[in-house]
Amino acid sequence: MAIRDLAHTRNEAGGEALAIPVVATMIAVLFAGSTVLTPLYIIYKQQFGFSQITLTLVYAVYVVGNLGALLMLGGASDVVGRRPAALAAMIVAIASALVFLFANNVVLLDVARVLSGLGIGVGAGTGTAWIAELLPGADKARASVIATSTNFLGLGFGALVSGLLAQYEPWPLRLVFIVYLAALVFVSILVWRTRETVAEPGGPGQVSMRPHFAVPDEIRARFVAPAVTGFGAMALVGFYAAVAPSILAQQLHETNHAVAGALFFELAIVTALSIVALKQMQSGKAMLTALALMIPSILMVVAAQMLASMALMIAATACCGVTAALGYRGSLQVVNEIAPEDRRAEVVSSFFICCFIGNALPVIGIGIISTYASPIAASLAFAAMIIVFALVALGFGLKNRP
């Protein structure tokens, strides 16, 4: 009997060890779906004949799905269980990839982007909670590091693989989604075989669809710095995901789709490695350091564009990666620290709304300005916004330091 119990314990331990990589892989694969378009935007723009404004709107509409998932389905996995919610997210991602595969107009691209945002929004929250419950002692800090680093790894590999396939293989707008569909199906099977951690899951009818987000009066002044930091960090990521390929083609005269994917891959890998390497940095210090770094980072990007310097663009990308890592991780941790225990979910949801808006709104502004003025004027306006926001947030952050 003792031998059988020991074998059962060992099997459970082995299952736990495999479960965490499976859930982390699910997060990475889901996020890869948001950047497979990064090297393809130029091709879509040429084949569908749409403007730079439309290009940035196709990118930004993804946030509609993110916000829908956050506001309406943020707590769904707490009710129905981690595995059913994760599988639902994977099914939505599969539907998104199928729409992309057969898309022949802008409307279908928008539909696919909304579905992608919805699947990622549900899957990321579910996966982060699932990893925390699978870790010994429900280590939430370690779960956050795993989830955020694999998030950026997925973003990076999505862009890199897409760029390579678009440049060197046939069917540039089709093959990448066939490969991505295969990856989604394979990971879905692994997720289906992973242990549930919610003790008594309920049915879908028990899920509340009422949005929960607010910032209590007593922490509003302290909330400004992390909210603006999250906005700025995600604005940098959005800039690279949506606009950088056009800058490479128009100002740096680099039309290789693999290079466009590789540039975003650099940003994502530097961000992921920085999250892990700098995880011991105190949250407030990380946030303030990110705000200070935002100013030289965005100025380097604009200088690279104006000087048509690929070397400077590579250096600027690395700097932006460190900034995004410190900004996102530090500001999220600060929000968790200042939020009242009984209202943490509402405050964190408000923070993520700021991040999503930062990821989308400035990109739309860049598209409008670059259409009616010039790409360099658009980048200068973006840089001015980042600098002003960073200085304001630094002021609030230094004033409200504990």
Side-chain angles (χ1 to χ4, degrees):
M1 185 74 171
I3 293 174
R4 188 160 54 243
D5 289 343
L6 180 61
H8 178 69
T9 301
R10 285 178 176 172
N11 285 337
E12 278 196 339
E16 299 292 305
L18 289 173
I20 293 171
V22 166
V23 179
T25 300
M26 177 198 75
I27 293 173
V29 169
L30 282 171
F31 273 99
S34 73
T35 53
V36 291
L37 257 69
T38 294
L40 306 181
Y41 282 124
I42 298 296
I43 305 175
Y44 279 120
K45 187 178 177 182
Q46 292 169 348
Q47 292 202 5
F48 292 2
F50 54 67
S51 67
Q52 187 70 14
I53 296 176
T54 302
L55 185 154
T56 52
L57 286 173
V58 170
Y59 172 81
V61 76
Y62 157 85
V63 173
V64 173
N66 283 153
L67 288 172
L70 175 66
L71 297 178
M72 303 298 183
L73 300 169
S77 72
D78 293 333
V79 177
V80 302
R82 309 301 181 206
R83 183 167 54 193
L87 287 172
M90 296 299 286
I91 290 170
V92 173
I94 288 170
S96 169
L98 284 170
V99 177
F100 274 128
L101 180 61
F102 297 106
N104 56 7
N105 56 57
V106 174
V107 173
L108 288 178
L109 289 181
D110 287 335
V111 170
R113 286 289 286 172
V114 172
L115 289 173
S116 176
L118 181 62
I120 290 169
V122 174
T126 299
T128 302
W130 204 355
I131 289 171
E133 292 161 354
L134 289 166
L135 286 168
D139 188 344
K140 292 183 179 179
R142 189 180 164 201
S144 295
V145 171
I146 293 172
T148 52
S149 57
T150 52
N151 163 346
F152 281 100
L153 283 173
L155 291 172
F157 277 102
L160 180 65
V161 172
S162 176
L164 289 169
L165 292 176
Q167 184 66 36
Y168 300 113
E169 297 298 332
W171 316 319
L173 299 181
R174 301 286 181 263
L175 184 59
V176 64
F177 295 110
I178 294 171
V179 172
Y180 185 53
L181 277 167
L184 286 170
V185 171
F186 177 71
V187 173
S188 296
I189 294 170
L190 296 179
V191 168
W192 177 62
R193 296 172 59 86
T194 301
R195 183 177 71 84
E196 177 60 70
T197 54
V198 175
E200 296 180 3
Q206 296 175 261
V207 176
S208 173
M209 302 290 282
R210 188 178 61 169
H212 293 279
F213 62 96
V215 180
D217 292 341
E218 63 270 21
I219 67 164
R220 282 185 181 172
R222 297 167 66 194
F223 181 79
V224 171
V228 175
T229 307
F231 180 100
M234 291 300 102
L236 288 176
V237 174
F239 178 89
Y240 272 88
V243 182
S246 296
I247 290 173
L248 287 178
Q250 294 170 11
Q251 276 74 55
L252 275 67
H253 312 294
E254 178 56 75
T255 57
N256 187 306
H257 304 302
V259 173
L263 189 71
F264 189 88
F265 178 76
E266 180 200 352
L267 176 81
I269 289 299
V270 170
T271 304
L273 292 176
S274 298
I275 287 172
V276 175
L278 301 172
K279 64 183 178 182
Q280 299 301 329
M281 184 182 286
Q282 191 267 338
S283 59
K285 183 178 179 181
M287 180 183 71
L288 293 174
T289 302
L291 289 169
L293 284 174
M294 279 183 192
I295 297 171
S297 297
I298 194 60
L299 289 177
M300 287 173 68
V301 171
V302 176
Q305 187 176 354
M306 294 177 71
L307 298 172
S309 170
M310 180 60 76
L312 188 53
M313 180 62 84
I314 291 170
T317 302
C319 196
C320 287
V322 176
T323 302
L326 290 174
Y328 182 68
R329 196 273 297 173
S331 58
L332 176 56
Q333 195 170 332
V334 168
V335 167
N336 270 312
E337 291 166 359
I338 66 174
E341 189 70 33
D342 61 337
R343 302 189 67 180
R344 178 167 285 119
E346 294 179 7
V347 176
V348 172
S349 293
S350 301
F351 168 77
F352 280 128
I353 289 172
C354 294
C355 290
F356 291 148
I357 293 173
N359 191 240
L361 200 59
V363 167
I364 297 173
I366 291 170
I368 294 171
I369 295 172
S370 63
T371 299
Y372 294 106
S374 71
I376 290 178
S379 294
L380 284 169
F382 177 71
M385 180 205 71
I386 291 290
I387 291 169
V388 170
F389 277 36
L391 290 174
V392 170
L394 270 171
F396 274 91
L398 291 169
K399 182 180 178 180
N400 294 284
R401 274 194 305 182

